[in-house]
Amino acid sequence: MDQTGIMLVELRATTVAPMLRLAVSLCLILSVMLMIEKVMMGAVSLFAKIFRRRPEKIYKCAPIRDDEEIGTSAYPMVLVQVPMYNEKQVYKLSIGAACRILWPSDRIIIQVLDDSTDPEVKTLVQQECRKWAINGVNIKYEIRNNRYGYKAGALKEGMKHKYVDDCDFVAIFDADFQPDSDFLMKTIPFMFHNPEIALVQTRWIFVNANECLMTRMQEMSMDYHFKVEQESGSTMCSFFGFNGTAGVWRISALIDAGGWNDRTTVEDMDLAVRASLRGWKFVYTGNVKVKSELPSTFNAYRNQQYRWACGPANLFRKAVREILRTKKVSVAKKIYMLYNFFFVRRIIGHLITFMLYCVIIPASVFVPEVDIPDWGVVYVPSIITILNSVGTPRSIHLLILWVFFENVMSMHRMKAAITGLLEVGKVDEWIVTEKLGSAPRASTIKEAAKRFKWMITRRLLLPELGLAAYLFTCAYYDYNYGRRKFCYYIFPQSLAFFIMGLGYVGTIVPNL
């Protein structure tokens, strides 16, 4: 070996190796923290299932009946809010579903909050509201002259109308959500009989889950969120993040918490945190399911995930002092909110997935002085992966593909989380998730091919392609010169980055 080679080896051993060992140690500690959190949530969820710790077993939820003397006045007054923004594909579905909800007609108000900027869409939405009003539905069409605060601003403005003063509860449905007619009959009793409950959150199910591989991957992540994260939070300390839709709020609790606030792009989670700090309880009812739609294009999904990763990190930055200072909740609940709910799930969960599995492990193939233990490379990630799959057993055969898909998305989520935590860049960016209604199921092969061509020529994602090149280089080197043979994991991961970097996701494929 020549002198230059010897110097490079010494530099690697004395400088690069110690830094990489430190990074490996830190990542392994964080991955263990994440694994423990996953195991704990899984155990709580399993406990709830085995011992039937369902909300209906814990709280009184007897159906509300007509009173012989006061008639329908026995039912509380309910406001149903449907916020929308240029929702041409789904406005009929959402408004129709809201208007079909079973509840005494004199005890319910449907409020359509239309922030649309497209005159054609505004006209269509207004006509749809007028049609239901003619049929006897108490429906209000509300607009404003600006979009300040986005969805939070629209909801806040909607609560200012005089007729809302008579309402006790407010149900919220985004424009692509279609509640069953008995939604209020199943949710309102929890709040009617239990004055300490501020929120009842229901589960989402997806009408387009089988549309393509990308929607199948999304379904696996979302099912875990509802069946494990939400259920464990509800069971353990009656706290979880409101999902912004398919839920019912007690209006007095909403007001007590300070109402809607647009300080972050996750106004729903923000409201949940503030209400919980005021001592209110939340209930998750997984047996009540509301149909919705998953993003059908990769661009829409990336925008959604950016907001869902950036917003919570930014909220953590802004709410940490509020959580520490409050005197209305226990120390245990404060620790749960700060450590479990925010730090591990919303910060560590995004950072560790990308840094360890997409950067540090691949980089270690060039530094033989660094040895990563098998438990950190195989066992811990395997436990985390298996626990993440329990929500969607029908897709267990897609687990490996899901891992690679999530690892690619982790780069985007990590960037968003750091942006939110440091409050820089596009921290306040809000892009409404594109909804297609029934359009995907009516797509022809020709239309799918046209969309794919557009994605190839105009949607090249350079960060993903750059990571694909980096991972391929690591895999090639490890295959020829390495001793750990990480290449069998790194190469398919590089392929996943390459495929998604070219936009080859979200295309129509046969159901699996």
Side-chain angles (χ1 to χ4, degrees), residues 44 228-240 336:
V44 172
V228 179
E229 286 187 7
Q230 298 279 85
E231 186 168 61
S232 63
S234 179
T235 302
M236 192 157 41
C237 61
S238 299
F239 171 74
F240 48 83
Y336 175 82

Side-chain angles (χ1 to χ4, degrees), residues 6 76 109 125 127 136 152 208 241 249 256 279 297 337 352 354 359 435 463 469 479 486 511:
I6 294 175
I109 302 173
V125 174
Q127 289 175 349
N208 64 332
W249 276 93
D256 182 51
T297 65
M337 294 176 72
I352 194 63
F354 178 71
V359 177
K435 306 170 188 71
Y479 181 78
F486 290 152
N511 294 346

Side-chain angles (χ1 to χ4, degrees), residues 165 228 282 360 368 442 504:
D165 294 342
V228 179
F282 304 160
I360 292 176
Y504 189 48

Side-chain angles (χ1 to χ4, degrees), residues 7-280:
M7 291 177 61
L8 289 176
V9 170
E10 290 180 355
L11 178 65
R12 184 184 69 192
T14 57
T15 305
V16 178
M19 294 175 61
L20 191 58
R21 285 195 193 96
L22 179 62
V24 168
S25 299
L26 180 60
C27 285
L28 290 180
I29 292 172
L30 295 179
S31 64
V32 170
M33 291 167 62
L34 182 60
M35 181 194 70
I36 293 174
E37 174 68 8
K38 296 284 186 180
V39 171
M40 184 180 73
M41 287 192 296
V44 172
S45 181
L46 183 63
F47 169 82
K49 287 179 173 62
I50 292 177
F51 294 96
R52 300 184 181 277
R53 297 287 294 173
R54 301 300 187 193
E56 54 269 20
K57 300 289 185 180
I58 302 174
Y59 299 100
K60 182 180 179 181
C61 58
I64 302 173
R65 307 290 186 186
D66 286 353
D67 188 279
E68 292 184 1
E69 295 183 1
I70 61 176
T72 59
S73 295
Y75 289 80
M77 195 74 180
V78 179
L79 175 70
V80 177
Q81 290 184 314
V82 184
M84 56 178 57
Y85 172 72
N86 293 336
E87 309 287 2
K88 187 175 182 179
Q89 299 290 347
V90 295
Y91 75 95
K92 281 189 177 182
L93 294 174
S94 58
I95 294 175
C99 291
R100 294 187 187 95
I101 292 178
L102 296 176
W103 201 253
S105 59
D106 61 330
R107 308 299 292 170
I108 185 172
I109 302 173
I110 310 298
Q111 186 187 65
V112 177
L113 303 170
D114 189 12
D115 266 4
S116 299
T117 54
D118 186 332
E120 179 188 359
V121 176
K122 290 178 78 74
T123 300
L124 292 172
V125 174
Q126 189 172 18
Q127 289 175 349
E128 185 69 12
C129 293
R130 189 178 296 119
K131 182 190 77 173
W132 284 100
I134 292 173
N135 291 329
V137 176
N138 188 4
I139 185 169
K140 308 290 185 180
Y141 175 74
E142 307 290 358
I143 60 173
R144 53 185 184 147
N145 57 13
N146 61 73
R147 289 196 66 221
Y148 181 77
Y150 302 106
K151 180 181 173 182
L155 294 171
K156 184 176 182 178
E157 193 70 22
M159 297 298 293
K160 294 180 180 179
H161 294 280
K162 189 64 177 177
Y163 55 81
V164 177
D165 294 342
D166 298 325
C167 298
D168 304 293
F169 307 106
V170 55
I172 303 169
F173 301 102
D174 282 354
D176 58 319
F177 280 72
Q178 305 165 50
D180 288 338
S181 59
D182 61 353
F183 178 87
L184 293 180
M185 295 294 185
K186 291 182 176 179
T187 55
I188 293 295
F190 284 103
M191 313 180 84
F192 184 77
H193 297 295
N194 304 277
E196 74 276 17
I197 295 177
L199 165 68
V200 175
Q201 174 70 61
T202 62
R203 181 182 157 196
W204 303 357
I205 56 174
F206 310 101
V207 296
N208 64 332
N210 292 325
E211 180 185 303
C212 63
L213 281 173
M214 189 186 74
T215 53
R216 290 291 293 271
M217 303 296 105
Q218 293 179 61
E219 182 191 36
M220 293 178 71
S221 299
M222 293 302 295
D223 280 352
Y224 175 81
H225 170 69
F226 282 101
K227 294 182 180 180
V228 179
E229 286 187 7
Q230 298 279 85
E231 186 168 61
S232 63
S234 179
T235 302
M236 192 157 41
C237 61
S238 299
F239 171 74
F240 48 83
F242 175 45
N243 295 309
T245 180
V248 184
W249 276 93
R250 184 184 301 275
I251 292 180
S252 60
L254 193 154
I255 295 172
D256 182 51
W260 294 103
N261 193 313
D262 61 352
R263 60 177 175 170
T264 71
T265 57
V266 284
E267 72 293 324
D268 42 17
M269 185 181 293
D270 186 3
L271 177 60
V273 169
R274 287 183 283 114
S276 183
L277 295 181
R278 299 291 295 175
W280 293 96

